Amino acid sequence: RERYNFYGYNRNFRVLPEQDSLKQVFSRAALKVYVRNRAQDAAFQYDLSLGYNFWKDNYQARENNIYAALRSGYRLSETSRVNINGDLSFISHKDSLTVSRPFVQVTPAYELTLNRLTVSAGATLGYTGDTIQDARQFNAYPALRAAYTVTEDRLVVYGGLGGAIQRVTMYDLTTENPWLAPNVRVADTRRGPTLYAGLQATPARNLEVNARLTLSNDRNLYFFNNSRRDSSKFDLVYDPKATQLVNIHGEIIYNQAEQFRLGFRADYNGYNVKTLAQPFHRPAFQSVLFGTYNVYEKLLLG
């Protein structure tokens, strides 16, 4: 149970809003079961999960999401394997309208290792029931990746071309912005094609450095803008045309024998919107400082 207040109403109004109208309450419930096999010597490695998320708010809106996810790989030989990843979700959403939102996506790929070079080739096929902005419901993207080990256990460089449909739910949106107006229309983001390149390095003992550059073309990427009906609340707005995104990601982690871990992560996001005046309420810079300390085997402080 999460409780919030809307803010920013005009105190000069002759009739002030009632206290109950300023309240927002979210109820959430989540359940997930999974089975996995990550043994290094197993030819077939997999992670299969099944879950259910429930969400409702103070406006009598509710969302039920039944989902499943598969991450798997089968080793054909010492140098090759087949990977199959898949996601399935069915959402029933009810506010002023009742909406069904099916979603399914699968990515099969073949991976080959040649000495220091690892290449993977496949495709991502996805379908979403959303029709906002007339974006395509069926999408197909390449899933190409190459990684080269420059120095064993020291430096790996990689790059690829991909894309995917990203599931968007009220369960997640209201954790990002709990002041949404009622009856907003939700759509999955079509991210692709996406071009990326990066590196993973271990420049010193216990020190990890990761860097990545991503260029993507997004359709139905959501933005938050103050509602014209009530400026204390936010609507979801979409650019009718595709949004180009440039993301620069950096991360540095100090890890001492899994007992003490300290890290810093930063992202720069550059959005090129076509019809919207600006990329409303999407930050250009984000950073996270995180750390954990393992006091003993059964107590972890973070």
Coordinates of all heavy atoms in Angstrom, one line a residue, residues 173-238:
L173 N 4.8 2.2 -14.3 CA 4.7 3.7 -14.5 C 4.5 4.4 -13.2 O 5.1 5.5 -13.0 CB 3.6 4.0 -15.5 CG 3.9 3.7 -17.0 CD1 2.6 3.8 -17.8 CD2 5.0 4.6 -17.5
T174 N 3.7 3.9 -12.4 CA 3.3 4.6 -11.1 C 4.4 4.5 -10.1 O 4.4 5.2 -9.1 CB 2.0 4.1 -10.6 OG1 2.0 2.7 -10.4 CG2 0.8 4.5 -11.4
T175 N 5.4 3.6 -10.3 CA 6.6 3.7 -9.4 C 7.5 4.8 -9.9 O 8.3 5.4 -9.1 CB 7.3 2.4 -9.4 OG1 7.8 2.1 -10.7 CG2 6.5 1.2 -8.9
E176 N 7.5 5.1 -11.2 CA 8.3 6.2 -11.7 C 7.7 7.6 -11.5 O 8.4 8.5 -11.2 CB 8.5 5.9 -13.2 CG 9.5 6.8 -13.9 CD 9.7 6.4 -15.4 OE1 9.3 5.3 -15.8 OE2 10.3 7.2 -16.1
N177 N 6.3 7.6 -11.7 CA 5.6 8.9 -11.5 C 4.3 8.6 -10.8 O 3.3 8.2 -11.5 CB 5.4 9.6 -12.8 CG 4.8 11.0 -12.6 OD1 4.2 11.3 -11.5 ND2 4.8 11.8 -13.6
P178 N 4.1 8.7 -9.5 CA 2.9 8.3 -8.8 C 1.8 9.4 -9.0 O 0.7 9.2 -8.4 CB 3.3 8.2 -7.4 CG 4.5 9.1 -7.2 CD 5.2 9.1 -8.5
W179 N 2.0 10.5 -9.7 CA 1.0 11.6 -9.8 C 0.4 11.6 -11.2 O 0.0 12.6 -11.7 CB 1.7 12.9 -9.5 CG 2.2 13.0 -8.1 CD1 1.5 13.1 -6.9 CD2 3.6 12.8 -7.7 NE1 2.4 13.1 -5.9 CE2 3.6 12.9 -6.3 CE3 4.8 12.6 -8.4 CZ2 4.8 12.7 -5.6 CZ3 6.0 12.4 -7.7 CH2 6.0 12.5 -6.3
L180 N 0.2 10.4 -11.7 CA -0.5 10.3 -13.0 C -2.0 10.6 -12.9 O -2.6 10.3 -11.9 CB -0.3 8.9 -13.6 CG 1.1 8.5 -14.1 CD1 1.0 7.1 -14.7 CD2 1.5 9.5 -15.2
A181 N -2.5 11.3 -13.9 CA -3.9 11.5 -14.0 C -4.7 10.2 -14.3 O -4.1 9.3 -14.8 CB -4.2 12.5 -15.1
P182 N -6.0 10.2 -14.0 CA -6.8 9.0 -14.3 C -7.0 8.8 -15.8 O -6.9 9.8 -16.5 CB -8.1 9.2 -13.6 CG -8.2 10.7 -13.4 CD -6.8 11.2 -13.2
N183 N -7.2 7.6 -16.2 CA -7.5 7.3 -17.6 C -6.4 7.6 -18.6 O -6.7 8.0 -19.7 CB -8.8 7.9 -18.0 CG -10.0 7.6 -17.1 OD1 -10.2 6.4 -16.7 ND2 -10.8 8.6 -16.7
V184 N -5.2 7.5 -18.2 CA -4.1 7.6 -19.2 C -4.0 6.4 -20.1 O -4.4 5.3 -19.6 CB -2.7 7.9 -18.5 CG1 -2.7 9.2 -17.7 CG2 -2.3 6.7 -17.6
R185 N -3.6 6.6 -21.3 CA -3.5 5.5 -22.2 C -2.1 5.0 -22.3 O -1.1 5.7 -22.5 CB -4.0 5.9 -23.6 CG -5.4 6.3 -23.6 CD -6.4 5.2 -23.8 NE -6.5 4.2 -22.7 CZ -7.3 4.4 -21.7 NH1 -8.1 5.4 -21.6 NH2 -7.4 3.5 -20.7
V186 N -1.9 3.7 -22.1 CA -0.6 3.1 -22.0 C -0.2 2.3 -23.3 O -1.1 1.6 -23.8 CB -0.5 2.1 -20.8 CG1 0.9 1.6 -20.6 CG2 -1.0 2.8 -19.5
A187 N 1.0 2.4 -23.7 CA 1.4 1.7 -24.9 C 2.8 1.2 -24.7 O 3.7 1.8 -24.0 CB 1.4 2.6 -26.1
D188 N 3.1 0.0 -25.3 CA 4.5 -0.6 -25.3 C 5.4 0.2 -26.2 O 4.9 0.7 -27.2 CB 4.4 -2.0 -25.7 CG 3.7 -2.9 -24.7 OD1 3.7 -2.6 -23.5 OD2 3.1 -3.9 -25.1
T189 N 6.6 0.4 -25.8 CA 7.6 1.1 -26.6 C 8.3 0.1 -27.6 O 8.7 -1.0 -27.3 CB 8.7 1.7 -25.7 OG1 8.1 2.6 -24.8 CG2 9.7 2.4 -26.5
R190 N 8.3 0.6 -28.9 CA 9.0 -0.2 -29.9 C 10.4 0.4 -30.1 O 10.6 1.5 -30.6 CB 8.3 -0.1 -31.3 CG 7.0 -0.9 -31.4 CD 5.8 -0.3 -30.6 NE 4.6 -0.8 -31.1 CZ 3.4 -0.7 -30.6 NH1 3.3 0.1 -29.4 NH2 2.3 -1.1 -31.1
R191 N 11.4 -0.2 -29.5 CA 12.8 0.3 -29.5 C 13.6 -0.5 -30.5 O 13.9 -1.6 -30.4 CB 13.4 0.1 -28.1 CG 14.9 0.4 -28.1 CD 15.4 0.8 -26.7 NE 14.9 2.2 -26.5 CZ 15.1 2.8 -25.3 NH1 15.8 2.3 -24.4 NH2 14.6 4.1 -25.1
G192 N 13.8 0.2 -31.6 CA 14.6 -0.5 -32.7 C 14.4 0.2 -34.0 O 13.4 0.8 -34.3
P193 N 15.4 0.1 -34.9 CA 16.6 -0.6 -34.7 C 17.5 0.1 -33.7 O 17.5 1.3 -33.6 CB 17.2 -0.7 -36.1 CG 16.6 0.4 -36.8 CD 15.2 0.6 -36.3
T194 N 18.4 -0.7 -33.0 CA 19.3 -0.2 -32.0 C 20.7 -0.6 -32.3 O 21.0 -1.8 -32.5 CB 18.9 -0.7 -30.6 OG1 17.5 -0.3 -30.3 CG2 19.8 -0.1 -29.5
L195 N 21.6 0.4 -32.3 CA 23.0 0.2 -32.6 C 23.8 0.5 -31.3 O 23.6 1.5 -30.7 CB 23.5 1.1 -33.7 CG 25.0 0.9 -34.2 CD1 25.1 -0.5 -34.8 CD2 25.4 2.0 -35.1
Y196 N 24.6 -0.5 -30.9 CA 25.4 -0.3 -29.6 C 26.8 -0.8 -29.7 O 27.1 -1.7 -30.5 CB 24.6 -1.0 -28.5 CG 24.5 -2.5 -28.6 CD1 25.5 -3.3 -28.1 CD2 23.4 -3.1 -29.3 CE1 25.4 -4.7 -28.3 CE2 23.3 -4.4 -29.4 CZ 24.3 -5.3 -28.9 OH 24.2 -6.6 -29.1
A197 N 27.7 -0.2 -28.9 CA 29.1 -0.6 -28.8 C 29.5 -0.3 -27.4 O 29.1 0.7 -26.8 CB 29.9 0.1 -29.8
G198 N 30.5 -1.1 -26.9 CA 30.9 -0.9 -25.5 C 32.2 -1.7 -25.2 O 32.7 -2.4 -26.0
L199 N 32.6 -1.6 -23.9 CA 33.7 -2.4 -23.5 C 33.5 -2.8 -22.0 O 32.8 -2.1 -21.2 CB 35.0 -1.6 -23.6 CG 35.1 -0.3 -22.9 CD1 35.7 -0.4 -21.4 CD2 36.1 0.7 -23.6
Q200 N 34.1 -3.9 -21.6 CA 34.2 -4.4 -20.3 C 35.7 -4.6 -19.9 O 36.4 -5.3 -20.6 CB 33.4 -5.7 -20.1 CG 31.9 -5.6 -20.5 CD 31.3 -7.0 -20.5 OE1 31.9 -8.0 -20.8 NE2 30.0 -7.0 -20.3
A201 N 36.1 -3.9 -18.9 CA 37.5 -3.9 -18.5 C 37.7 -4.2 -17.0 O 36.9 -3.8 -16.2 CB 38.2 -2.6 -18.9
T202 N 38.9 -4.8 -16.8 CA 39.3 -5.0 -15.4 C 40.7 -4.4 -15.3 O 41.8 -5.1 -15.4 CB 39.4 -6.5 -15.0 OG1 38.1 -7.1 -15.3 CG2 39.6 -6.7 -13.5
P203 N 40.9 -3.1 -15.1 CA 42.2 -2.4 -15.2 C 43.1 -2.7 -14.0 O 44.3 -2.6 -14.1 CB 41.8 -0.9 -15.2 CG 40.5 -0.8 -14.6 CD 39.8 -2.1 -15.0
A204 N 42.5 -3.1 -12.9 CA 43.2 -3.4 -11.7 C 42.5 -4.5 -10.9 O 41.3 -4.8 -11.1 CB 43.4 -2.2 -10.8
R205 N 43.2 -5.1 -9.9 CA 42.6 -6.1 -9.1 C 41.3 -5.6 -8.4 O 41.3 -4.5 -7.8 CB 43.6 -6.6 -8.1 CG 43.1 -7.8 -7.3 CD 44.2 -8.2 -6.3 NE 43.7 -9.3 -5.5 CZ 44.4 -9.9 -4.5 NH1 45.6 -9.4 -4.2 NH2 43.9 -10.9 -3.8
N206 N 40.2 -6.3 -8.4 CA 39.0 -6.0 -7.8 C 38.2 -4.8 -8.4 O 37.2 -4.4 -7.8 CB 39.2 -5.7 -6.3 CG 39.8 -6.8 -5.5 OD1 39.6 -8.0 -5.9 ND2 40.6 -6.5 -4.5
L207 N 38.7 -4.3 -9.5 CA 38.1 -3.1 -10.1 C 37.5 -3.5 -11.5 O 38.2 -4.1 -12.3 CB 39.1 -2.0 -10.3 CG 38.6 -0.6 -10.7 CD1 37.7 -0.1 -9.6 CD2 39.7 0.3 -11.0
E208 N 36.2 -3.1 -11.7 CA 35.6 -3.4 -13.0 C 35.1 -2.0 -13.6 O 34.6 -1.2 -12.9 CB 34.3 -4.3 -12.8 CG 34.6 -5.6 -12.1 CD 33.3 -6.3 -11.8 OE1 32.3 -6.1 -12.5 OE2 33.3 -7.1 -10.8
V209 N 35.3 -1.9 -14.9 CA 34.8 -0.7 -15.6 C 34.0 -1.1 -16.8 O 34.4 -2.0 -17.6 CB 36.0 0.1 -16.1 CG1 35.6 1.3 -16.9 CG2 36.8 0.6 -14.9
N210 N 32.8 -0.5 -17.0 CA 32.0 -0.8 -18.1 C 31.6 0.5 -18.8 O 31.3 1.5 -18.1 CB 30.7 -1.6 -17.7 CG 31.0 -2.9 -17.0 OD1 31.7 -3.7 -17.6 ND2 30.5 -3.1 -15.8
A211 N 31.6 0.5 -20.1 CA 31.1 1.7 -20.8 C 30.4 1.2 -22.1 O 30.7 0.2 -22.6 CB 32.3 2.5 -21.3
R212 N 29.3 2.0 -22.4 CA 28.5 1.6 -23.5 C 27.8 2.8 -24.2 O 27.4 3.8 -23.5 CB 27.4 0.7 -23.0 CG 26.4 0.2 -24.1 CD 25.4 -0.7 -23.4 NE 24.3 -1.0 -24.3 CZ 23.9 -2.3 -24.6 NH1 24.6 -3.3 -24.1 NH2 22.8 -2.5 -25.4
L213 N 27.8 2.8 -25.5 CA 27.1 3.8 -26.3 C 26.0 3.1 -27.1 O 26.2 2.1 -27.8 CB 28.1 4.5 -27.3 CG 27.5 5.4 -28.4 CD1 26.9 6.6 -27.7 CD2 28.5 5.8 -29.4
T214 N 24.8 3.7 -27.0 CA 23.6 3.1 -27.6 C 22.9 4.2 -28.5 O 22.7 5.3 -28.0 CB 22.6 2.6 -26.6 OG1 23.3 1.6 -25.8 CG2 21.4 1.9 -27.3
L215 N 22.6 3.9 -29.7 CA 21.8 4.7 -30.6 C 20.5 4.0 -30.9 O 20.6 2.9 -31.5 CB 22.5 5.1 -31.9 CG 24.0 5.7 -31.7 CD1 24.6 5.9 -33.0 CD2 23.9 7.0 -30.9
S216 N 19.4 4.5 -30.6 CA 18.1 3.8 -30.9 C 17.1 4.7 -31.5 O 17.1 5.9 -31.4 CB 17.6 3.2 -29.6 OG 17.1 4.2 -28.7
N217 N 16.1 4.0 -32.1 CA 15.0 4.7 -32.8 C 13.7 4.2 -32.1 O 13.4 3.0 -32.2 CB 15.0 4.4 -34.3 CG 14.1 5.3 -35.1 OD1 14.3 6.5 -35.1 ND2 13.1 4.8 -35.7
D218 N 13.0 5.0 -31.3 CA 11.9 4.6 -30.5 C 10.6 5.1 -31.0 O 10.4 6.3 -31.3 CB 12.1 5.0 -29.1 CG 13.3 4.5 -28.4 OD1 13.9 3.5 -29.0 OD2 13.7 5.0 -27.4
R219 N 9.6 4.2 -31.0 CA 8.2 4.6 -31.3 C 7.3 4.3 -30.1 O 7.5 3.3 -29.4 CB 7.6 3.9 -32.5 CG 8.2 4.4 -33.8 CD 7.4 3.8 -35.0 NE 8.0 4.4 -36.3 CZ 7.6 5.5 -36.8 NH1 6.7 6.3 -36.2 NH2 8.1 6.0 -37.9
N220 N 6.4 5.2 -29.8 CA 5.6 5.2 -28.6 C 6.4 5.2 -27.3 O 6.0 4.5 -26.3 CB 4.7 3.9 -28.6 CG 3.4 4.2 -29.5 OD1 3.3 5.2 -30.1 ND2 2.6 3.2 -29.6
L221 N 7.5 6.0 -27.3 CA 8.2 6.2 -26.1 C 7.4 7.3 -25.3 O 7.1 8.3 -25.8 CB 9.6 6.8 -26.4 CG 10.5 7.1 -25.2 CD1 10.8 5.8 -24.4 CD2 11.8 7.8 -25.6
Y222 N 7.1 6.9 -24.0 CA 6.2 7.8 -23.3 C 7.0 8.9 -22.6 O 8.1 8.8 -22.2 CB 5.4 7.0 -22.2 CG 6.3 6.3 -21.2 CD1 6.8 7.0 -20.0 CD2 6.8 5.0 -21.4 CE1 7.6 6.4 -19.1 CE2 7.6 4.4 -20.4 CZ 8.0 5.1 -19.3 OH 8.8 4.5 -18.4
F223 N 6.3 10.1 -22.5 CA 6.8 11.2 -21.7 C 5.7 11.7 -20.7 O 4.5 11.4 -20.9 CB 7.2 12.4 -22.7 CG 8.2 12.0 -23.7 CD1 7.9 11.5 -24.9 CD2 9.6 12.2 -23.4 CE1 8.9 11.2 -25.8 CE2 10.6 11.9 -24.3 CZ 10.2 11.4 -25.5
F224 N 6.1 12.4 -19.7 CA 5.2 12.9 -18.7 C 5.0 14.4 -18.9 O 6.0 15.1 -18.9 CB 5.7 12.6 -17.3 CG 5.9 11.2 -16.9 CD1 7.2 10.7 -16.8 CD2 4.8 10.3 -16.7 CE1 7.4 9.3 -16.5 CE2 5.0 9.0 -16.4 CZ 6.3 8.5 -16.3
N225 N 3.7 14.8 -19.0 CA 3.5 16.3 -19.2 C 2.3 16.6 -18.3 O 1.3 15.9 -18.2 CB 3.2 16.7 -20.6 CG 3.4 18.1 -20.8 OD1 4.0 18.8 -20.0 ND2 2.9 18.6 -22.0
N226 N 2.4 17.8 -17.7 CA 1.3 18.3 -16.8 C -0.1 18.3 -17.6 O -0.1 18.8 -18.7 CB 1.6 19.7 -16.3 CG 2.7 19.7 -15.3 OD1 3.9 19.8 -15.7 ND2 2.5 19.4 -14.0
S227 N -1.1 17.8 -17.0 CA -2.4 17.7 -17.6 C -3.0 19.1 -17.8 O -2.9 19.9 -16.9 CB -3.3 16.8 -16.7 OG -4.6 16.9 -17.2
R228 N -3.6 19.3 -18.9 CA -4.3 20.6 -19.2 C -5.5 20.7 -18.3 O -5.9 21.8 -18.0 CB -4.7 20.7 -20.6 CG -3.5 20.8 -21.6 CD -3.9 21.0 -23.0 NE -2.7 21.1 -23.9 CZ -2.8 21.3 -25.2 NH1 -4.0 21.3 -25.8 NH2 -1.8 21.4 -25.9
R229 N -6.1 19.6 -17.9 CA -7.3 19.6 -17.1 C -7.0 19.9 -15.7 O -7.8 20.5 -14.9 CB -8.1 18.3 -17.2 CG -8.5 17.9 -18.6 CD -9.2 16.6 -18.7 NE -8.4 15.5 -18.2 CZ -7.5 14.9 -18.9 NH1 -7.4 15.2 -20.2 NH2 -6.7 13.9 -18.4
D230 N -5.8 19.5 -15.2 CA -5.5 19.6 -13.8 C -3.9 19.6 -13.7 O -3.3 18.5 -13.8 CB -6.1 18.5 -12.9 CG -5.8 18.6 -11.5 OD1 -4.9 19.5 -11.1 OD2 -6.3 17.9 -10.7
S231 N -3.3 20.7 -13.5 CA -1.9 20.8 -13.6 C -1.2 20.1 -12.5 O 0.1 19.9 -12.5 CB -1.4 22.3 -13.6 OG -1.8 22.9 -12.5
S232 N -1.9 19.6 -11.4 CA -1.3 18.9 -10.3 C -1.1 17.4 -10.7 O -0.4 16.7 -10.0 CB -2.1 19.0 -9.1 OG -3.3 18.3 -9.2
K233 N -1.6 17.0 -11.9 CA -1.5 15.6 -12.3 C -0.8 15.6 -13.7 O -0.6 16.6 -14.4 CB -2.9 15.0 -12.5 CG -3.7 15.0 -11.2 CD -5.0 14.4 -11.4 CE -5.8 14.2 -10.1 NZ -6.1 15.5 -9.4
F234 N -0.3 14.4 -14.1 CA 0.4 14.3 -15.3 C -0.3 13.3 -16.3 O -0.8 12.3 -15.8 CB 1.8 13.7 -15.0 CG 2.7 14.6 -14.3 CD1 2.7 14.8 -12.9 CD2 3.6 15.4 -15.0 CE1 3.5 15.6 -12.2 CE2 4.5 16.3 -14.3 CZ 4.4 16.4 -12.9
D235 N -0.2 13.6 -17.5 CA -0.7 12.8 -18.6 C 0.5 12.1 -19.2 O 1.7 12.6 -19.2 CB -1.4 13.6 -19.7 CG -2.8 13.9 -19.3 OD1 -3.4 13.2 -18.4 OD2 -3.3 15.0 -19.7
L236 N 0.3 10.9 -19.9 CA 1.3 10.3 -20.7 C 1.1 10.9 -22.1 O 0.0 10.9 -22.7 CB 1.1 8.8 -20.8 CG 1.4 8.0 -19.5 CD1 1.1 6.5 -19.8 CD2 2.8 8.2 -19.1
V237 N 2.2 11.4 -22.7 CA 2.2 11.9 -24.1 C 3.2 11.2 -24.9 O 4.2 10.7 -24.4 CB 2.4 13.4 -24.1 CG1 1.3 14.2 -23.4 CG2 3.8 13.8 -23.4
Y238 N 2.9 11.1 -26.2 CA 3.7 10.3 -27.2 C 3.9 11.2 -28.4 O 3.1 12.0 -28.8 CB 3.0 9.0 -27.6 CG 2.6 8.1 -26.5 CD1 1.4 8.2 -25.9 CD2 3.5 7.1 -26.0 CE1 1.0 7.4 -24.8 CE2 3.2 6.3 -25.0 CZ 1.9 6.4 -24.4 OH 1.6 5.6 -23.4

